[in-house]
Amino acid sequence: MRAPRHIMTGAAVALGLALLAGTAGAQTSAPTRDEIVSKLNRFEEAAELDLPALKQQVMERAKTRIKNDPGPVNRPLIAPDLAKLPAFNAQIQFDTDTPIIQPASYQTVGRIADALVHSSLLPYTFLIVGHVESNSKTREANAILSQRRADAIRDVLVNTFKISTKRLHPIGLGEEQLLDRAKPTSPVNGQLQILTYAKLPEEAPRPAAPAPAAKKPARKH
């Protein structure tokens, strides 16, 4: 017995929606290791950045109440040289207003770790740059939150995936360097960036251990 046409049509619509949902899920899946490596493996020269000074500058600017502040759309970038570095933008989900990474993003963090130990990236150090989109919070609160989130990613990479802490430099820029200034409240501005920062300094060769002294033959009595 044939099913009524309206039932068949409804089933077809449901199947179509399921397929669309599957496609959308595939589009938002975690990036592959090779995709991350291809983004980061384009290093040419290190940016001239004083990271401790930049952290201080971010906090000072975020605290300042400027009477004629141009707003997020026209506010000058606080570290424009970062745009010269190879970058991978990661959509890491955190619990609201916390540095706690949501389980949905664990795979992405794991893929980042896989990329950082790839042979082509082992000679480099990296910046972990936190951002926060413009919202109802103060710029100072967002600067602090972005630093805590960058620190959280560094801690997972070091403690769980055993990436050397010497290769990772976390810094939070809050909303002082929006990724899309035309849309300050866009979720894109909450993405976390991994930037190829500099080459690891080459270790000086260790001096060869002195050869053991030759034993003197025993005297005959």
Side-chain angles (χ1 to χ4, degrees), residues 86-135:
F88 169 71
N89 292 10
Q91 189 66 55
I92 305 294
Q93 302 294 331
F94 296 91
D95 286 352
T96 304
D97 296 335
T98 77
I100 299 172
I101 304 166
Q102 293 186 359
S105 292
Y106 290 171
Q107 188 177 33
T108 297
V109 178
R111 297 280 172 80
I112 292 171
D114 289 342
L116 297 186
V117 296
H118 188 273
S119 58
S120 63
L121 295 182
L122 280 176
Y124 299 104
T125 63
F126 299 88
L127 297 180
I128 303 171
V129 184
H131 301 271
V132 178
E133 68 274 18
S134 291
N135 51 39

Side-chain angles (χ1 to χ4, degrees), residues 2 20 31 44 50 80 95 103-104 139 144 174 178 195 200 206 211:
R2 280 189 168 186
L20 284 174
E44 293 181 3
D50 183 336
D95 286 352
R139 285 164 60 191
I144 293 170
L178 296 174
L195 305 178
L200 279 167
R206 295 182 180 180

Side-chain angles (χ1 to χ4, degrees), residues 20-141:
L20 284 174
T23 303
Q27 289 174 346
T28 57
S29 61
T32 67
R33 180 202 64 174
D34 291 343
E35 287 171 346
I36 300 172
V37 170
S38 69
K39 295 277 189 181
L40 298 178
N41 191 23
R42 299 174 183 177
F43 181 81
E44 293 181 3
E45 60 178 327
E48 295 183 7
L49 289 173
D50 183 336
L51 291 179
L54 179 57
K55 287 183 181 181
Q56 184 177 355
Q57 186 183 358
V58 168
M59 291 309 305
E60 288 177 352
R61 195 171 95 165
K63 290 178 184 178
T64 303
R65 303 291 183 266
I66 303 174
K67 192 172 184 180
N68 297 317
D69 178 34
V73 173
N74 299 311
R75 192 177 296 139
L77 301 178
I78 200 163
D81 284 351
L82 292 182
K84 302 175 183 176
L85 297 176
F88 169 71
N89 292 10
Q91 189 66 55
I92 305 294
Q93 302 294 331
F94 296 91
D95 286 352
T96 304
D97 296 335
T98 77
I100 299 172
I101 304 166
Q102 293 186 359
S105 292
Y106 290 171
Q107 188 177 33
T108 297
V109 178
R111 297 280 172 80
I112 292 171
D114 289 342
L116 297 186
V117 296
H118 188 273
S119 58
S120 63
L121 295 182
L122 280 176
Y124 299 104
T125 63
F126 299 88
L127 297 180
I128 303 171
V129 184
H131 301 271
V132 178
E133 68 274 18
S134 291
N135 51 39
S136 60
K137 305 293 182 183
T138 65
R139 285 164 60 191
E140 180 182 1

Side-chain angles (χ1 to χ4, degrees), residues 157-212:
L157 291 174
V158 170
N159 297 326
T160 302
F161 296 100
K162 308 307 177 187
I163 307 296
S164 170
T165 188
K166 295 179 181 179
R167 300 179 64 212
L168 304 173
H169 305 283
I171 183 166
L173 299 184
E175 56 179 289
E176 305 308 308
Q177 182 142 319
L178 296 174
L179 297 173
D180 184 355
R181 285 197 291 174
K183 299 175 182 176
T185 60
S186 169
V188 168
N189 291 309
Q191 290 181 339
L192 182 132
Q193 289 184 299
I194 307 295
L195 305 178
T196 309
Y197 178 47
K199 282 194 171 183
L200 279 167
E202 294 184 8
E203 293 184 2
R206 295 182 180 180

